[in-house]
Amino acid sequence: MKTIKASLLFFVFFAALFNSGCKENKKENQSEQETVNTESEKNHIEKNAFGEMPDGQQVDKYTLTNDNGMEIDVITYGGIITRWTAPDKDGNYEDVVLGFNDLDSYFGDVPYFGALIGRYGNRIANGQFSLDGETYTLAKNNGPNHLHGGITGFDKKVWKAEPESTGDGAVLVLTCTSADGEEGYPGKLDVKVTYTLTGDNELDIQYEAVTDKPTVVNLTQHTYFNLSGDFSNDILDHEVTLNASAYLPVDAGLIPTGELRPVEGTPFDFTKPKAVGKEIEADNQQIQRGGGYDHCWVLNETEDDFGFAASAYHPETGRVLEVYTDEPGIQFYTGNFLNGALASKTGGTYGKRSGLCLETQHYPDSPNQEAFPTTRLNPGETYSSHTSFKFSTK
Ligand code: BGC
């Protein structure tokens, strides 16, 4: 499970990295097209301008490509994955993630399409928690609660990006700093997220962070997948497996009640592959509260710390997505709040349940629930979280 490693050396490295100008991601990057070759001609990263922030700051798009032809577009705004192509059983690559083709579309009321989430994935009850006897009040952006890091979470920051040339694949390192007190959190937090597209059609994501005061951290990735490659379809025919014998029931505000409830005999049982739509309308209080699935599953312990968490299979195209992680939980969200208000990349709109999210993370509201694995990070420690999304076909 998530390890917090005390590593002074790493901290020094971090400090050096951030002193080298993390926030100065300004005009000097002005839109030259740049290509960084990694292993071969085909395995590379290309940089292009994507748009401008209202204050004129440039946002870049990095396209990570592997030898097979998989392409992932990542923009420096929110570290958002705007496009991700995956092969079907006949080898046709199609875009399988919800998003937009232009920056301005991401500025509206967008439900975190493709974004990096921080400082805290999911909800903190009443936007409040205590640490060492001190109460911290966070931004409330979801009724009375705090959601996904607040009003200006990491999904709305312009990150500094560095493509790297390594043998592992196409690597993009994103860094940002969150000031002490930002959105109400204690401590200045320096964050590093490494996206590596491997030759195995796998996106490996490593999250790291260091703080200068005790704080809480829970980072995740909020990509909505639709493996059909056609965003006018919903995801009810996707067959999902979750490596979890229990899940966290929620109250009416979607805050975990604290109970770890067995999935057996309930619509929450995805221990064997099951079509998302099979029981999504079941007469079940928890389904009704989420408007479908919008819960955190408690991942079973695996032999390795980094183990199988989930998969999704689209029978018609044969696309398979597997998720591996060292996190204790996964938020399975079936896009219940999508309502056709946002225009899709390929024409039409993103309708209800047109995408599903598999967000690896610690449990929601952990800072207020002592029995949950801790999300505390102390100075001198390094927050570390590791997840990979791997595509194949069958
Ligand atoms: C949450 C949902 C929320 C969605 C978009 C998910 O992670 O669990 O409740 O609506 O993100 O904000």
Side-chain angles (χ1 to χ4, degrees), residues 268-280:
F268 291 82
D269 190 350
F270 284 92
T271 50
K272 293 189 200 70
K274 183 170 73 183
V276 174
K278 186 158 181 228
E279 293 172 297
I280 202 168

Side-chain angles (χ1 to χ4, degrees), residues 110-113 117 121-123 141-142 147-148 220-222 224 253-254 290 293-296 331-338 357 359 361 364:
V110 179
Y112 304 90
F113 282 169
I117 304 296
N122 217 277
R123 293 175 177 80
N141 58 331
N142 189 246
L147 174 67
H148 294 332
T220 191
Q221 223 295 338
H222 210 302
Y224 290 69
L254 300 182
Y293 298 107
D294 189 359
H295 296 73
C296 186
Q331 183 81 13
F332 175 43
Y333 171 56
T334 46
N336 313 311
F337 295 120
L338 297 172
C357 303
E359 304 158 66
Q361 57 192 216

Side-chain angles (χ1 to χ4, degrees), residues 103-180:
L103 182 61
D104 286 4
S105 300
Y106 284 99
F107 294 154
D109 188 11
V110 179
Y112 304 90
F113 282 169
L116 289 176
I117 304 296
R119 295 186 186 194
Y120 201 97
N122 217 277
R123 293 175 177 80
I124 296 181
N126 302 313
Q128 226 173 43
F129 67 95
S130 298
L131 214 53
D132 302 332
E134 184 131 356
T135 299
Y136 295 94
T137 301
L138 304 172
K140 292 176 185 160
N141 58 331
N142 189 246
N145 301 322
H146 175 88
L147 174 67
H148 294 332
I151 294 160
T152 311
F154 292 178
D155 58 295
K156 294 181 185 65
K157 275 181 178 290
V158 179
W159 294 62
K160 183 179 190 290
E162 289 291 344
E164 269 184 14
S165 181
T166 84
D168 296 339
V171 182
L172 186 68
V173 179
L174 296 169
T175 49
C176 80
T177 297
S178 174
D180 186 11

